[in-house]
Amino acid sequence: MAAQTISSLSSPLQTFSSLRPGVSPSYRFTNFLFYSSLRPSLPFSSVILKPLRAARFRPLAVSAALKNLSESDLVAVPTDPQEVTVNFPSESGVYAVYDNNNDLQFIGISRNIAASVSGHRNSLPELCHYVKVGVVEEPDRSALTQAWKSWMEEHLRTTGNVPPGNQSGNSTWVPARQPATPRKKPDLRLTPGRHVQLTVPLEDLIHRLVKENRVVAFIKGSRSAPLCGFSQRVVGILESQEVDYESVDVLDEEYNYGLRETLKRYSNWPTFPQVFVDGELVGGCDILTSMHEKGELADLLKK
Amino acid sequence: MASRAAIAMLSRAQRIKSNLQSALEASLLEIEDVSHQHASHAAVRASGSDGETHFNVKIVSTKFEGKSLVNRHRMVYDALADELQSGLHALSIVAKTPQEIAKK
């Protein structure tokens, strides 16, 4: 067996990443002789492992079988989302997330580890401080699952516990389905700010906005923090439709000064929120809710 | 027909009712002041008014026949233009035709 054990750099407090962009550590994972159909979030059941077979040698990187969990380095998750892809590979494999106390919170598998880490960091910043990475070569489903099982088993052996995030019924760590993007889009602003004088009437800006974007919601507050129950409901409905929409905060006096009055005249509609689809006012919260319940909204958005 | 002065004395709820009644010939009209549900609303607090800012309106009228929801709501808003200028903040509107009510 050509496996070389990289001298372990990791004490639990190791924070420096040994990964560099473009070079993925080549952890060759060989086949175990058992079948698995479990998803990582299900409770782990005990399985018998067979010994590892010989690993093939790869010229560019050190060849090794998938490192044990305890031998893998802890990599600090950067607070700047741009840096995640610097420290983590966008490869397939298994990963283990640790919080600030170096307690293992969750073991997951991913087709894009950097994206998963980024996603977890965004949604659960208090639990994602370090991650151990095990890239899996030839990552078919069974190889990935086996890698996950080996780490899970090892953790169970050493601590006797299933990580909290992997326990049955725990839905905190929904697998990141999308590549690393901020959870919610920023709201659109109509103007660069009050200090800049408009060369074009606000009505024209509104008109252009609703014509150029398929779905536009004029709401009170931002989409991540609506300031009114009706606006909140509209945001909720649009999010549940998973449609791409633009949101505009009509209460923003800096970037959307004068919007409320102008929009009321433009749409001939006196209240907010207002939702436009394909350049036409669809209505406010009541109408949207009614359409959503009847399924009409989904039809409208599908076209 | 109540005189203007008399109308002004009525509460907003009553004014809404009478405006909608005459403008839309409603066969059914239910008005509910739900301003207290929105008491923490920034705009409500700022305007300093104590109630009469948010209403639920249920209205049935033949005039809604053939009209989209948006247009029905617009008709209601148009009938209440004065109220909207003078502190009425939001309306939850249910606007149906007699047939639609009968169907349910």
Side-chain angles (χ1 to χ4, degrees):
Chain A
M1 186 152 158
Q4 295 178 14
T5 312
I6 296 170
S7 65
S8 178
L9 302 167
S10 64
S11 64
L13 300 177
Q14 175 69 34
T15 56
F16 183 70
S17 164
S18 57
L19 300 174
R20 278 179 204 78
V23 176
S24 60
S26 161
Y27 299 126
R28 174 70 40 161
F29 196 76
T30 55
N31 292 319
F32 284 139
L33 290 183
F34 61 85
Y35 300 101
S36 94
S37 57
L38 287 182
R39 281 177 36 237
S41 57
L42 292 178
F44 183 79
S45 61
S46 69
V47 179
I48 298 172
L49 296 178
K50 297 247 176 155
L52 293 176
R53 303 248 196 81
R56 290 203 299 278
F57 201 80
R58 271 190 134 224
L60 281 181
V62 174
S63 153
L66 180 74
K67 270 190 188 163
N68 285 343
L69 183 59
S70 55
E71 287 173 357
S72 298
D73 297 345
L74 272 175
V75 179
V77 180
T79 40
D80 181 0
Q82 316 270 18
E83 287 183 40
V84 174
T85 43
V86 172
N87 291 356
F88 293 95
S90 301
E91 317 265 340
S92 301
V94 59
Y95 64 96
V97 184
Y98 292 78
D99 64 13
N100 226 352
N101 299 320
N102 294 308
D103 290 330
L104 177 57
Q105 286 290 329
F106 177 74
I107 301 179
I109 55 178
S110 170
R111 294 258 168 214
N112 183 335
I113 292 176
S116 294
V117 169
S118 194
H120 293 317
R121 175 76 194 179
N122 279 335
S123 46
L124 299 160
E126 73 279 6
L127 293 178
C128 303
H129 285 90
Y130 307 104
V131 175
K132 289 189 179 181
V133 174
V135 174
V136 173
E137 299 288 337
E138 283 154 15
D140 56 299
R141 185 149 255 277
S142 63
L144 286 171
T145 318
Q146 286 155 16
W148 176 83
K149 285 194 135 200
S150 82
W151 277 19
M152 187 62 82
E153 256 222 327
E154 185 189 335
H155 181 73
L156 274 172
R157 269 200 311 272
T158 46
T159 67
N161 296 323
V162 176
N166 292 104
Q167 284 162 8
S168 149
N170 185 311
S171 57
T172 321
W173 298 80
V174 177
R177 270 177 295 163
Q178 288 155 354
T181 46
R183 232 168 19 138
K184 285 188 166 167
K185 268 164 91 160
D187 308 308
L188 272 191
R189 296 167 166 171
L190 256 76
T191 76
R194 284 192 60 181
H195 56 285
V196 176
Q197 206 168 27
L198 293 182
T199 51
V200 170
L202 195 54
E203 295 220 357
D204 288 6
L205 291 178
I206 295 173
H207 186 74
R208 220 192 306 169
L209 182 64
V210 302
K211 291 295 178 195
E212 287 174 2
N213 297 283
R214 190 140 192 256
V215 182
V216 183
F218 293 92
I219 58 177
K220 292 185 166 176
S222 69
R223 77 166 75 192
S224 44
L227 291 176
C228 135
F230 301 125
S231 291
Q232 191 167 32
R233 224 174 296 165
V234 162
V235 169
I237 289 174
L238 290 175
E239 292 283 330
S240 77
Q241 291 287 331
E242 292 190 339
V243 63
D244 187 34
Y245 69 99
E246 299 301 328
S247 55
V248 182
D249 180 358
V250 304
L251 297 178
D252 185 342
E253 293 290 313
E254 177 59 34
Y255 294 104
N256 296 326
Y257 181 66
L259 177 60
R260 283 200 305 287
E261 294 316 309
T262 312
L263 187 58
K264 286 180 186 179
R265 277 197 308 272
Y266 176 85
S267 344
N268 189 16
W269 192 266
T271 56
F272 299 101
Q274 295 184 13
V275 178
F276 285 75
V277 173
D278 293 328
E280 297 287 327
L281 176 69
V282 170
C285 177
D286 294 337
I287 295 181
L288 221 71
T289 308
S290 149
M291 288 178 71
H292 176 65
E293 285 165 2
K294 292 189 197 158
E296 293 168 7
L297 184 60
D299 292 338
L300 178 67
L301 295 174
K302 224 187 302 176
K303 280 186 284 185
Chain B
M1 198 72 140
S3 70
R4 274 190 143 231
I7 287 179
M9 297 276 295
L10 298 173
S11 70
R12 174 162 282 147
Q14 289 163 318
R15 289 199 302 273
I16 290 178
K17 196 156 191 167
S18 101
N19 282 336
L20 288 178
Q21 187 64 53
S22 50
L24 296 175
E25 292 166 23
S27 50
L28 180 111
L29 196 45
E30 285 169 15
I31 317 278
E32 191 190 348
D33 184 341
V34 292
S35 312
H36 58 275
Q37 288 177 6
H38 300 265
S40 63
H41 216 274
V44 173
R45 275 181 285 141
S47 71
S49 55
D50 45 1
E52 303 203 318
T53 54
H54 292 67
F55 286 84
N56 290 344
V57 170
K58 180 170 178 179
I59 172 167
V60 178
S61 161
T62 51
K63 293 203 161 187
F64 291 141
E65 269 157 38
K67 297 227 164 53
S68 69
L69 276 183
V70 188
N71 288 331
R72 293 183 192 189
H73 283 43
R74 278 212 176 102
M75 289 168 72
V76 173
Y77 285 138
D78 288 345
L80 298 175
D82 286 342
E83 300 298 327
L84 287 162
Q85 301 280 27
S86 63
L88 174 60
H89 195 68
L91 287 172
S92 274
I93 302 174
V94 174
K96 303 239 178 235
T97 64
Q99 284 115 307
E100 286 163 3
I101 292 289
K103 250 193 271 174
K104 287 173 86 176

